[in-house]
Amino acid sequence: MSQLEIKDLHISIGDKPIVRGLNLTIQQGKVHAIMGPNGTGKSTLAKAIAGHPDYTITEGDVRLDGKSVLAMQPDERARSGLFLAFQYPSEIPGVSIANSLRAAVQARLAEGEELDATAYYKKLYAKMDLLKIDRKFTSRAVNDGFSGGEKKRCEILQMAMLEPKIALMDETDSGLDIDALRIVADGVNAQRSGPSAPGIMLITHYQRLLDYIVPDYVHVLWDGRIVKSGDKSLALELEAKGYDWLKQELAPATA
Amino acid sequence: MSVASSTYLVGSFTPEAFEQSLARCAHLPAWWLDRKRAAYARFAAAPMPQRTNEGWRFSNLSTLTLDGFNLPAPVRFDQLAHRELGVTGAGHLVFANNRLVAAQPLDASTAGAGIIFDTLQNALLQHGDLVKSHLLAQPSKLGSDKFAALHEAFLEDGAFIYVPKGVTATLPVGVFHYASGAGAAVFPHTLVIAGENAKITVADFFRSEKPAEAHFACGGNDLYAGHGASVTYLAMQDWSRATLSFQFNATVARRDARVLSLNLHAGARQARHESFSQLQAPGAHSEMLALTVAHGTQEFDQRTLQIHQAPNTSSNLLYKNALLDQAKTIFSGLIVVDADAQKTDAYQSNRNLMLSDEAEANSLPGLEIQANDVRCTHGATSSRIDREQEFYLESRGIRAAQAQELLVFGFFEEVLGKLEHQELHDRLTEIIREKFRNQ
C-alpha cells in the first residue's frame, strides 16, 4: 500500500512563506479533503508537491513510499506515482489529447519498450465512456477552447489513464455547474475502488464537492498549517458555521 | 575584403565549367541553350550581394562562397539511401547529381487522362512551347538575381508536371533530388503547370547522400495554376548541415486558382529561400506556408513577395520558425497591392519560437498598398516555450525534451494541419522529429 508523507513542510513563493510546517500522511485508497479559505496555501501545497518551479520548499520533506521526491524533476515525480489535477489546466494549442496522453503513457515504459497501441486505445475509450466523453475529444488540442467542465473531465481522464498512487486534486469543482460536477465526481469515485485506487488529496473551498466525493478525512488549512482534522462532519460544520467560526475558535490559540 | 575580380564573381562556376554543363544539354532546343548562355553572362557579371543591399539585410554575406564546388560525377540509384514517398501507386522521379537515376511512371489511368510527369529534358524536346512559357518565366525580384541566373545557366534536368484542363490527379507525385560527393553542386528544378480546373499535389525532397558532405544547392520551382486550378506543393529541404542552399519559388495564380506551397527547412548550414507569388486574376489565392527547425549555427534566410495584381484576390502567408542553439532566421516579406487590386485580402505572419537564449530571429514584414479598399494584415512575433504548458506536460510524466518537442509540434500544427494528404503530413512530421532527435 503506497503512502505520501508530508513532514513539517514549509513552502515559499520568492521570499514569502506560504505553507509553514504542514504534516499529513495520505494512504492509498483514502480521500483527504483539504479545506480552507482563499490564500491559505491550498493550491501552493499541491503545485509544490508536483514540482512547480515557482515554489520553493524551504524546510521539511515529501516522501512517496518512504522516498523523498524533492530532488526529483516534475516528470520524475509524476512517473513515480504523483498526479496533479490542475485548478486551471493549461491550454496547449496544436497538441492533441491523444498525443500528449500517449507520450505520458510511453514515458512510463522501459526504454526500448513500445506502447501497445491497441490496448492503449481500448483502455482510453473505456475511460472516456465512463466519463461520458465523446470519442472525437481526443483529437482536440489539450484544453484548447474547452469549457470548464470539459477541462476538468480531461483532467480526470488523464488521471484514470495514468493510474497514479497519489492524486493531488486542486479545486476540481471550480467552474463546474451541477451536472458537470456530478460527471466529474462519478469519474473520481469510479477510481476509488480496487487495489490500485489512488490516495487523493482533494482540495476544495466549498463543501458542495464533498457531497459527491465523500472524503475519509477532512483537514482545515489555515495560514499555512493544518489547524483542524476530522471526518466528513467537519466539512458540514464548516459549511454551516463558515470559516469565521473557525477564526474565532482559533483566535485564543493563535493570539 | 575580397577583391571583385572575375574569379571572385564566378568561383567554381567558371566559363569552362559552364561549357562542360552546356555540352551535356547540346541535344536540347536552341532557345533554351541561348537562354542558358544569357543567364551565365548575367551570373558572371553580377556582383556578389553587398551589405548595402536591402534584400540581404541581416544575412551573413561572408559565408556566401562560390568556391570549392564541382559539377559532380553521376551516381547510381543503388548508392542512395532512398526512401519512397510512402503513397501506394504514386509516381516519382529521382534525381541525383543533376541526372535522373530512377523513375516510377504514373499508372496507366492517370497517364491516360493526359497528365505528363517527365524530366525537364524530355519536356523540352516534346513540349517545348509549354516549357518555354513557364520555365523560369518570372523575374527574380528578391535579391538573388545572381544566383537565379546561376541556377538557369547550370540547370541540366529536373521534373516537369503538366495536368491538362479538368483533370484531377488523385495521387500526389514525388520528386527527389539528391546531392552526392564532397563539393557537389546541384541545380534541381520542378516545374508544375496545372491547366483550367486541374488539380495536383507535388512533393519535392532535397537530401544529401551523406550527412557530413558539403554541397552547393541552387534550385527552383515554378508553380502555375490556370483558371480554377488547384496546386499543392510541398518542399522538404533536408540537405547536409554543411550545404549552402538557395531555393527560388515563383507562383502564378490565375482566375479562381488556388496554390498552396509549404516549405520545410531543416537542412543546410545557410539556406536562402525566396518565394514570389503573383495573384494575377480575380479570385486567385496563394497560401504560402513554411516551417523551419534551426539548430546549431544554421542560418535560414527567407524572403517573400505577394503581389496582388487583380481585384478580389487573396493571399495568406504563415512562416513559423523554431530556433535552437545559436541558430539564426531572417524573414523579410512584402505584400504589394496594385492600384486596381481592390478587395484584396492579404495576410502575412512570421512567428518565431525561441528555444534558446542565443538564437536570433529577425523579422522584416512590409506592406505596399496602392488600392484603397483592401484588407491587409501583417505581423511578426517571437515567443518562448510557455513554462506553464511545459510544466503541465511534465506533470504527466513526460520528460522535458519530449515535452518541448510536443510543444514545438503544437506550434507547427497550425501549418501542418493545412496539409490534407496524411502520408505527406506523416513524412513531414518524421523529418522534423528526426531533426530533433539528431540535434
Side-chain angles (χ1 to χ4, degrees):
Chain A
M1 200 60 108
S2 287
Q3 67 171 15
L4 184 77
E5 297 163 273
I6 304 167
K7 295 193 160 181
D8 189 31
L9 195 65
H10 289 68
I11 307 167
S12 295
I13 303 176
D15 293 335
K16 194 177 171 220
I18 307 288
V19 171
R20 307 188 294 173
L22 187 140
N23 291 285
L24 180 65
T25 297
I26 299 176
Q27 300 282 349
Q28 211 181 336
K30 299 292 181 194
V31 174
H32 292 249
I34 308 280
M35 302 188 70
N38 286 328
T40 51
K42 301 191 299 294
S43 286
T44 297
L45 178 65
K47 285 183 170 179
I49 293 173
H52 194 289
D54 285 353
Y55 302 90
T56 313
I57 291 175
T58 52
E59 250 185 275
D61 203 357
V62 178
R63 292 186 204 153
L64 181 60
D65 296 336
K67 198 176 167 215
S68 176
V69 302
L70 297 187
M72 297 180 188
Q73 294 300 311
D75 56 305
E76 284 179 86
R77 296 186 194 195
R79 289 195 303 277
S80 70
L82 291 179
F83 181 87
L84 173 62
F86 286 71
Q87 180 179 9
Y88 303 112
S90 281
E91 299 192 2
I92 313 184
V95 178
S96 71
I97 293 175
N99 278 350
S100 72
L101 247 180
R102 230 187 128 119
V105 173
Q106 178 79 50
R108 284 163 170 79
L109 302 178
E111 204 171 331
E113 195 184 338
E114 277 300 314
L115 183 83
D116 178 347
T118 318
Y120 164 74
Y121 278 104
K122 198 176 163 199
K123 182 172 163 184
L124 178 62
Y125 291 146
K127 306 284 187 191
M128 288 172 73
D129 291 347
L130 198 68
L131 286 160
K132 299 183 175 66
I133 295 173
D134 194 292
R135 297 273 165 96
K136 278 182 241 151
F137 199 77
T138 54
S139 60
R140 287 175 66 184
V142 177
N143 299 318
D144 191 19
F146 284 20
S147 69
E150 286 175 327
K151 282 183 182 170
K152 295 302 169 79
R153 272 189 280 166
C154 181
E155 294 294 288
I156 306 307
L157 174 66
Q158 294 174 65
M159 176 173 150
M161 285 299 289
L162 299 176
E163 297 178 338
K165 294 172 183 162
I166 303 291
L168 313 164
M169 307 188 67
D170 190 5
E171 307 257 5
T172 293
D173 50 334
S174 70
L176 297 188
D177 61 32
I178 197 71
D179 294 330
L181 180 64
R182 261 195 205 115
I183 294 169
V184 165
D186 287 349
V188 174
N189 288 329
Q191 296 174 46
R192 288 182 67 181
S193 53
S196 62
I200 295 176
M201 179 193 279
L202 189 67
I203 291 169
T204 183
H205 186 75
Y206 300 105
Q207 199 275 332
R208 186 182 71 155
L209 177 67
L210 306 182
D211 287 340
Y212 297 94
I213 304 174
V214 180
D216 298 294
Y217 306 96
V218 173
H219 310 279
V220 179
L221 189 60
W222 188 280
D223 205 15
R225 291 185 196 92
I226 289 175
V227 292
K228 208 169 175 65
S229 295
D231 60 14
K232 62 181 179 183
S233 63
L234 175 58
L236 294 167
E237 198 173 355
L238 268 175
E239 173 78 359
K241 299 181 179 170
Y243 286 114
D244 281 344
W245 153 71
L246 200 68
K247 207 171 180 175
Q248 284 157 18
E249 185 164 274
L250 290 172
T254 52
Chain B
M1 282 300 288
S2 306
V3 180
S5 66
S6 63
T7 22
Y8 163 68
L9 287 178
V10 299
S12 308
F13 305 102
T14 58
E16 296 73 31
F18 174 64
E19 289 304 327
Q20 197 191 331
S21 169
L22 199 65
R24 282 199 288 267
C25 300
H27 59 297
L28 299 176
W31 66 263
W32 173 235
L33 303 185
D34 289 343
R35 268 182 59 178
K36 288 169 79 70
R37 286 190 195 94
Y40 186 77
R42 286 201 309 279
F43 159 69
M48 288 293 277
Q50 301 297 307
R51 184 46 61 215
T52 48
N53 186 332
E54 184 60 23
W56 290 84
R57 199 166 161 208
F58 297 118
S59 310
N60 190 346
L61 301 181
S62 63
T63 45
L64 286 179
T65 176
L66 296 171
D67 290 314
F69 303 110
N70 56 71
L71 298 181
V75 283
R76 292 193 320 272
F77 178 67
D78 60 19
Q79 293 174 289
L80 305 171
H82 176 65
R83 280 205 42 210
E84 300 289 334
L85 185 59
V87 181
T88 313
H92 67 243
L93 294 173
V94 183
F95 295 90
N97 289 358
N98 307 312
R99 298 159 181 89
L100 183 76
V101 293
Q104 166 75 49
L106 298 175
D107 62 52
S109 66
T110 317
I115 300 178
I116 303 167
F117 179 45
D118 207 339
T119 62
L120 259 181
Q121 289 209 352
N122 284 343
L124 277 158
L125 293 169
Q126 291 158 24
H127 312 282
D129 290 345
L130 261 181
V131 178
K132 197 173 182 177
S133 316
H134 298 291
L135 177 64
L136 297 167
Q138 308 308 320
S140 170
K141 282 180 169 270
L142 287 158
S144 280
D145 35 331
K146 182 177 180 71
F147 304 105
L150 177 63
H151 169 70
E152 186 166 1
F154 282 87
L155 167 59
E156 290 182 23
D157 209 352
F160 174 81
I161 297 136
Y162 170 75
V163 190
K165 180 176 174 177
V167 172
T168 293
T170 47
L171 292 172
V173 296
V175 184
F176 298 84
H177 309 270
Y178 288 92
S180 173
V186 291
F187 301 90
H189 198 96
T190 296
L191 169 58
V192 182
I193 305 165
E196 201 177 315
N197 296 318
K199 195 172 175 187
I200 179 97
T201 296
V202 179
D204 247 346
F205 295 82
F206 304 93
R207 207 173 171 94
S208 298
E209 195 235 325
K210 290 195 177 69
E213 282 172 353
H215 299 133
F216 180 85
C218 187
N221 64 76
D222 294 296
L223 311 177
Y224 179 88
H227 189 154
S230 168
V231 172
T232 299
Y233 172 79
L234 172 66
M236 301 186 225
Q237 188 274 94
D238 195 17
W239 298 120
S240 80
R241 297 289 185 84
T243 296
L244 173 61
S245 166
F246 296 90
Q247 281 175 294
F248 311 109
N249 152 259
T251 292
V252 171
R254 302 292 300 165
R255 180 180 284 268
D256 298 327
R258 182 189 163 83
V259 178
L260 180 151
S261 63
L262 196 171
N263 287 274
L264 170 68
H265 305 289
R269 67 169 163 80
Q270 185 170 8
R272 171 131 173 150
H273 185 257
E274 297 185 359
S275 185
F276 173 32
S277 270
Q278 295 178 70
L279 294 311
Q280 291 189 338
H285 177 76
S286 180
E287 194 90 7
M288 303 163 77
L289 308 169
L291 297 176
T292 304
V293 184
H295 275 132
T297 55
Q298 286 183 303
E299 176 178 308
F300 292 94
D301 185 1
Q302 301 167 317
R303 313 274 164 167
T304 67
L305 178 58
Q306 300 149 261
I307 300 190
H308 291 259
Q309 294 156 323
N312 292 300
T313 50
S314 56
S315 63
N316 180 17
L317 180 148
L318 179 58
Y319 276 32
K320 290 197 148 188
N321 302 323
L323 294 94
L324 299 96
D325 309 324
Q326 295 89 41
K328 176 177 171 181
T329 60
I330 302 152
F331 170 79
S332 172
L334 181 64
I335 298 173
V336 173
V337 181
D338 286 354
D340 57 353
Q342 300 294 3
K343 304 282 183 194
T344 281
D345 188 348
Y347 181 74
Q348 181 198 78
S349 173
N350 168 225
R351 311 247 173 258
N352 301 301
L353 181 63
M354 312 301 290
L355 295 158
S356 154
D357 289 336
E358 296 167 90
E360 177 189 329
N362 304 280
S363 283
L364 294 161
L367 295 174
E368 212 176 276
I369 302 172
Q370 274 136 29
N372 55 19
D373 182 16
V374 300
R375 202 177 72 159
C376 291
T377 37
H378 69 165
T381 57
S382 286
S383 57
R384 288 162 197 274
I385 290 255
D386 182 293
R387 284 177 72 219
E388 293 301 324
Q389 291 178 350
E390 192 176 354
F391 176 67
Y392 185 86
L393 292 175
E394 287 173 21
S395 77
R396 271 60 184 128
I398 301 170
R399 290 175 181 84
Q402 173 79 20
Q404 282 206 356
E405 191 183 302
L406 278 171
L407 291 171
V408 171
F409 273 104
F411 171 71
F412 281 167
E413 185 54 37
E414 193 182 353
V415 170
L416 287 170
K418 298 204 179 193
L419 201 61
E420 286 170 12
H421 278 268
Q422 189 58 46
E423 292 92 342
L424 295 179
H425 182 283
D426 292 349
R427 189 67 176 269
L428 198 61
T429 304
E430 201 181 303
I431 294 177
I432 298 169
R433 189 162 289 139
E434 271 170 21
K435 180 137 198 227
F436 270 92
R437 300 281 150 86
N438 303 328
Q439 58 176 285

